[in-house]
Amino acid sequence: MSTGKDFSDYNLGNGTNVPRILYKLKNEYPNKFELILNTLKDIFPFIKDIKPIEYNINSDELNKNNPIGNYIAANNVYFLVALDKNLVRNIDFSSMSDGVRRVLLIFTTLVIAEINNYSLVGIEEPENSLNPKILQRYLMALKSFSKNTRIIMTSHSPHLINYMDPQNIYIGLPNNDGIANFSKIKEKAVNKLLTDANNMDMLVGDYLFDLMSGSEDDLEILSKYVV
């Protein structure tokens, strides 16, 4: 593994090394590491533990003859071991499901955002690779990581929207040029939205997506809920 000379231990960047970051967090920010671990276990009860491990290697000779001056060879290699209640042997975390690994990456990203004083983090389609049954727990968990960092999420999942506070939902409606304008649901329209969805025997997320995929009349109804 090589790193740039201006490399930071808490910089996710393009070459994200979650095992390395978690190892550093466990030693330097144990409370933040425990937050990640315990929240992950709450969402995925089959996870018993995750353990970041550091292995030392001797890269002095390689660095001495390094032909690329802007990079140095790291002296350590990091792994992440997962303990699954359903398995006899421990496994490398990369062997776990896409959903578990993605949630861990998002939690880690949010912790790094707080350490670096980032004010905003964007998450695209957080529901990907996740069972809809855990979405409510997932959204509640994200609040634990967003005390000083705001989170913007884009989603095509009515299941996710069902668990959102309607006042935190922005809806994209096409304008005359075919470009979507995102507008917030009006505070005064929340009760009407809930009533209309209930009258249709639907949850809010299902109702909103049904309108968005409907006719021009449906879009006209939808526009009355937003600012």
Side-chain angles (χ1 to χ4, degrees):
M1 182 180 71
S2 63
T3 61
K5 287 188 174 181
D6 58 350
F7 175 78
S8 168
D9 283 337
Y10 298 110
N11 178 13
L12 286 166
N14 294 325
T16 301
N17 188 329
V18 172
R20 172 186 54 77
I21 292 175
L22 290 177
Y23 183 86
K24 297 291 185 180
L25 286 175
K26 185 176 182 179
N27 288 278
E28 299 174 13
Y29 296 91
N31 290 339
K32 297 184 186 301
F33 175 80
E34 288 298 322
L35 174 62
I36 293 174
L37 173 59
N38 292 331
T39 308
L40 193 72
K41 290 162 62 177
D42 286 342
I43 296 176
F44 304 104
F46 55 84
I47 295 179
K48 187 175 181 180
D49 198 4
I50 56 171
K51 297 181 178 180
I53 300 171
E54 178 186 69
Y55 285 103
N56 298 110
I57 59 176
N58 187 351
S59 59
D60 292 342
E61 189 64 28
L62 179 59
N63 282 322
K64 186 185 301 183
N65 300 294
N66 188 354
I68 306 176
N70 292 329
Y71 290 86
I72 58 174
N75 290 315
N76 307 303
V77 177
Y78 299 89
F79 300 93
L80 193 60
V81 174
L83 286 71
D84 190 316
K85 293 180 180 179
N86 301 317
L87 300 176
V88 176
R89 300 180 60 182
N90 301 339
I91 61 172
D92 185 89
F93 197 85
S94 62
S95 300
M96 300 199 76
S97 71
D98 289 343
V100 175
R101 289 187 283 115
R102 190 164 191 263
V103 168
L104 178 64
L105 176 59
I106 288 174
F107 288 168
T108 304
T109 299
L110 292 172
V111 166
I112 299 308
E114 181 182 4
I115 291 174
N116 288 291
N117 295 315
Y118 296 155
S119 60
L120 182 66
V121 170
I123 304 175
E124 184 175 2
E125 299 186 350
E127 71 276 3
N128 279 358
S129 304
L130 293 179
N131 188 318
K133 292 182 180 180
I134 71 170
L135 288 178
Q136 186 175 24
R137 280 180 289 164
Y138 182 36
L139 288 175
M140 292 176 63
L142 287 176
K143 292 182 180 180
S144 301
F145 295 89
S146 58
K147 295 179 180 179
N148 300 312
T149 302
R150 300 192 68 180
I151 300 174
I152 292 180
M153 297 182 291
T154 62
S155 175
H156 292 87
S157 170
H159 300 293
L160 184 76
I161 303 303
N162 286 335
Y163 299 120
M164 296 283 294
D165 181 342
Q167 294 184 62
N168 292 330
I169 297 173
Y170 288 74
I171 298 173
L173 294 173
N175 59 21
N176 294 331
D177 297 322
I179 300 174
N181 289 328
F182 284 84
S183 302
K184 186 177 183 179
I185 293 179
K186 294 182 291 189
E187 182 177 353
K188 295 181 179 179
V190 170
N191 287 335
K192 178 171 175 53
L193 172 61
L194 295 173
T195 299
D196 292 346
N198 185 64
N199 289 339
M200 296 295 293
D201 197 25
M202 302 173 75
L203 297 175
V204 169
D206 301 290
Y207 177 60
L208 290 175
F209 273 84
D210 187 63
L211 290 176
M212 283 190 286
S213 60
S215 64
E216 290 187 8
D217 290 337
D218 291 324
L219 292 177
E220 182 64 27
I221 294 173
L222 188 60
S223 67
K224 295 179 180 180
Y225 297 124
V226 301
V227 176

